[in-house]
């Protein structure tokens, strides 16, 4: 795999994650009080996605591009 292509995949994944985190903060922001609900919701969502990704990875159903 081309290193530039791998770099772009990682860049796109990081950018998508930061946009989702910002969108969650906009949605949850109005109901926040003393507890940081936006951070909690973002972290829970990230854990679910990571769990699904690792499960797929360990099952052998993931290409090299998707592993990035």
């Amino acid at each position: 795999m081309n290193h530039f292509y791998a770099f772009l995949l990682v860049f796109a994944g990081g950018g998508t994650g930061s946009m989702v985190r910002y969108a969650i903060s906009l949605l949850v922001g109005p109901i926040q009080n003393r507890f940081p609900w936006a951070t909690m919701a973002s972290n829970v969502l990230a854990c679910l996605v990571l769990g699904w990704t690792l499960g797929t990875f360990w099952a052998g159903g993931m290409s090299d591009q998707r592993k990035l």
Side-chain angles (χ1 to χ4, degrees), residues 21-57:
R21 190 173 287 267
Y22 180 68
I24 290 173
S25 73
L26 290 177
L27 291 172
V28 178
I31 62 169
Q32 262 186 324
N33 48 19
R34 293 186 178 268
F35 188 79
W37 290 107
T39 302
M40 178 71 147
S42 297
N43 289 340
V44 167
L45 180 63
C47 287
L48 290 172
V49 171
L50 181 61
W52 176 82
T53 303
L54 287 175
T56 305
F57 175 73

Side-chain angles (χ1 to χ4, degrees), residues 2-27:
N2 184 346
H3 290 290
F4 182 71
Y5 183 65
F7 176 79
L8 287 178
L9 287 175
V10 173
F11 178 77
T16 303
S18 64
M19 288 189 302
V20 169
R21 190 173 287 267
Y22 180 68
I24 290 173
S25 73
L26 290 177
L27 291 172

